[in-house]
Amino acid sequence: MTLVSQATPSARTGASPAFLRKIVVDPWLFGIFVLVTLSVLVFAALPIFTVMKQAVVTEEGFDLGVLVNTLSQSFVWTSLANTLMLGATSAVIATAAGFLLAFTATRTTMPGKTFVHGVALLPIISPPFVMALAVVILFGRSGLITRELLGIRNANVYGFHSLVLIQSLAFTPIAYLNIRGMLQSIDTALEDASASLGASRWTTFSRVTLPLVTPAILSSTLLVFVKSVEDFGNPMLIGGNYNTLAVEAYSQMVGYFNLQAGALLASLMLVPSMTAFLVHRYWVSKRSYVTVTGKPSAQTIRISGSVVVPLAIGCYAIVFAILLFYLTVLYVSFTKLPGVNNTLTLDHYATVFTAGFQTLSNSLLLAGIATPVTAVAGMLIAYLLIRKAFPGSFLLRWGTLLSFAAPGTILGIGYVSTFNAPPLLLTGTAFIVVAAMVVKNLQVGIEAGSNQLRQIDKSIEEASTILGASNTRTFFQVTMPLLKPALFTSLSYALTRSLTTLSAVIFLVSANWTLITVTILSQVETLKLGVAAAYCSILVFVVLAILAVMQLVLNSTSKR
Amino acid sequence: MSKVIFSNITKRFPGVAGATAVDRLNLTIEEGTLVTLLGPSGCGKTTTLRMLAGFETPTDGTITIGGRDVTNVPVNARNVGMVFQSYALFPHMSVRENVEYGVRLLNLPKGEMKDRVGNILETMALTQYADRPPSRLSGGQQQRVALARAVVTQPKVLLFDEPLSNLDAQLRERMRDELRAIQLRLGITSLYVTHDQSEAMAISDRVVVMRGGVIEQDDSPVNVYSRPGTGFVAEFMGKANILEGKVETVDETTVRVRIASTVAFTLPRGNRAFRVGEAVRCVVRPEHIRVDADGTMEAKVRRVVFQGAYVEYLTDLEGQECVFLDTDYYKSGVAEVGQTLKLSIDSRPVWILPETETAALGKAA
């Protein structure tokens, strides 16, 4: 009884100093925290809210009439329905294909696994619309297959069917990696146990393996869905009359200068994206039976014999399609006028390296700035969130989550609308492009950093502080070096995304600062397919080369 | 110079209602001595240590080091050294870099820094491993690096958080003696946390037994073992029989307690007061009971556990459980369950638990 009566007052007096002490002990780190949080709020949350506001508020203030008027137009609902339909179809097909690849690669004796793995990852490191380019070249009006091989004169490549094909292939790697990770972390002893209890191979698969990877299957479906909703390049190039929200928002903004309709469409994109993202984060990921540690347990492969044949054929077909598309792009980049004049030439590369060189160097420069900033900021934010938990860190957490889940279109429109007047007059500058790249890709670094931090013994950092180092010093001298693997994950992701992104930056590029992806898009639109293909090939090559160099650096520095 | 005083320290963790880790703790660590906090997990010993380190802030009370109030001083400004349970060696630095880390922050002249690091590596027999990463050292060597790193900055206070729990039994004893030797040589005020009572007794000047966030007993190792303040301390410090008895007679200097019809002790009573007929509880260590054909005490064997060096018997002494060890089993053979043994107890080390404990138990019941 005496304990209870004494507890309340001292708890109260104790709470406030402890709260303040966290800040006083670390003035530097708290300063960094405030700076980072403010940046995230200004560059991630504010633009998105600006767009949402613009969707309902016009120059004359809140006007229900305008909103109703916009909502009553059919293009809004058509594009919404199109987006959902495309997203759902691509998600299901890509996940099925990803599962087929993952299961066959981890559980069967299919020959050529390394090759299948390598090719299956190709779409991840290239802009998604490389596929669209390939499809136009192969199946378009003067397509290499449709016209040259089959003699079809009026093939219609534009529309839903092509979009599904392209997105499924482009997003299969996401599902493949996700499901493969989970299949690898399932202890194969579980499947052995099932077999030893007398279950047939099919029973083991359907009653043990499949239920165990269901969380990964659901998670892949949702992730691909989000990617599909966000995709701008493919629907733009090959959607034809099948307009999705991303395309419709762009054409309302840029084509009709209808800011309110563009903002509304972009805000509508948030609904499916955020829903799928939140379901994924707070429901699916909590239903996992296994923790994906990134450390594959010992795998015994025991599915062999005739059942492997159909599985392997399926995998080879997917890999063949991906390879065909990429090789087509490579071939076309060396071809005078595909389908008309198939002589080999270096003209397109000459164009890229002369007239188009600025685009290429801009892209490399801006991505080169954005990449390290993204990676270091990601580690820093992970540290602030996991280790420090300053008052107000929920703002930081939610700000970064929002920017990750929000489609690039809304971010791009938001940047244009938010930063077009002093004191934040940034439109047309390189800074705004870099900011968009950083904000859009920050979350992956934060996730990687957080996971790594949870595995680092906290007392290593405590040892540093008790030896006299400040927390800021501890972060840069002790924590950061230990976060190196996560840092490299983040660097690779940020680099790849920054070089291949389109949906956000298309609103931000200017005469001074244009990017390679935007240039490719306009080359395809003006049917300069050869130049576009040359750009794509260079882009893929550059990304591969930089990733290889980074891998080398990582390997050589972690020999210790 | 660096005496440590905890005054009325309370630590409550937010959230869970009533999660009081440490409750109005008062503790003094005299200059140059090594005090051990001993107790089961969750008793508040680690929290107390971490409050002295500065990783946790007390909800209430003050902590002083050498007369300076450090309650609100940040960790990195306390000049306290610590050896962690996991050693917490920086995996990306060599042994030398690990040891240098804290010295660099002192802004010493370069020569002095090199000397200090060199000397401590020499002292710890680590010179030949100086350029290796910690991961390529054995457990004992890693332990020495952790200690070298903690003492090289010449901290006022040295903290040990279960430093030996990751070592195997043999190495643990050797490292324990090494730690103690270095602590004595440096004369550094130390606080040591462990849940291993034999480690605590072997290494400490004083042992502080904690339970539920409060100190049960703060005493010398010998007293904590042989004159426990409470039944909890008696049982925590090693195997103990706590036998209930009644005071038969009291005179000027002695008190006679009867445990069973065949067992009674006459003990010096010191300055403690006893009433005839009063119920008391006596601590009898198993090693003080032996099989004795001439013994008056009789007990029935319930369980026999053969341990090699000795046989452990669990016996029934007129309804009370009584455990003892027989190291001479080779002479008369191992008894069987159900057999009645003749025993004798050396009454000199028998200890009557102080009354407060009996009273407290009565109240609780």
Side-chain angles (χ1 to χ4, degrees), chain B residues 54 80 184 194 265-266 311 344 352 364:
Chain B
V80 165
L184 284 174
T194 182
F265 319 112
T266 304
V311 179
S344 66
I352 303 174

Side-chain angles (χ1 to χ4, degrees), chain B residues 102-309:
Chain B
V103 190
R104 275 180 193 281
L105 297 166
L106 296 176
N107 294 320
L108 298 174
K110 204 162 182 162
E112 194 186 336
M113 187 186 91
K114 289 263 171 256
D115 285 350
R116 270 214 213 175
V117 174
N119 287 341
I120 197 79
L121 289 175
E122 184 82 47
T123 310
M124 300 288 178
L126 288 167
T127 311
Q128 64 185 114
Y129 309 110
D131 297 315
R132 287 198 194 170
S135 56
R136 287 188 45 220
L137 301 183
S138 71
Q141 288 163 341
Q142 290 183 14
Q143 174 77 77
R144 285 208 288 271
V145 177
L147 183 61
R149 189 181 64 178
V151 298
V152 73
T153 56
Q154 301 177 353
K156 286 189 183 147
V157 179
L158 190 53
L159 307 178
F160 297 91
D161 182 11
E162 310 215 11
L164 304 176
S165 57
N166 283 337
L167 300 174
D168 62 57
Q170 278 190 353
L171 195 54
R172 188 155 46 209
E173 280 186 22
R174 221 179 66 209
M175 285 312 299
R176 181 191 73 197
D177 299 340
E178 240 176 84
L179 288 187
R180 175 61 163 167
I182 286 164
Q183 184 268 333
L184 284 174
R185 198 166 76 205
L186 300 174
I188 188 165
T189 311
S190 303
L191 185 62
Y192 191 105
V193 160
T194 182
H195 60 260
D196 180 332
Q197 91 285 352
S198 67
E199 190 176 304
M201 288 186 284
I203 205 170
S204 320
D205 293 304
R206 289 184 85 75
V207 175
V208 176
V209 184
M210 291 184 71
R211 175 166 71 152
V214 298
I215 293 178
E216 287 267 317
Q217 190 166 359
D218 173 1
D219 222 326
S220 68
V222 172
N223 278 355
V224 167
Y225 185 75
S226 56
R227 308 182 134 217
T230 65
F232 171 78
V233 174
E235 288 185 318
F236 197 82
M237 296 311 297
K239 279 197 173 127
N241 296 297
I242 298 181
L243 300 173
E244 289 174 9
K246 270 205 166 59
V247 175
E248 266 188 351
T249 58
V250 187
D251 65 23
E252 295 268 300
T253 54
T254 63
V255 54
R256 184 167 177 81
V257 177
R258 178 157 298 279
I259 301 294
S261 59
T262 58
V263 193
F265 319 112
T266 304
L267 304 166
R269 108 182 142 79
N271 53 3
R272 290 159 71 182
F274 294 96
R275 282 180 289 107
V276 173
E278 180 185 350
V280 290
R281 301 199 303 153
C282 298
V283 179
V284 182
R285 296 285 176 192
E287 63 267 30
H288 299 136
I289 304 176
R290 59 190 176 83
V291 180
D292 182 357
D294 304 327
T296 53
M297 173 177 168
E298 286 184 354
K300 201 171 178 183
V301 176
R302 283 267 196 76
R303 194 183 65 207
V304 181
V305 182
F306 181 67
Q307 294 273 353

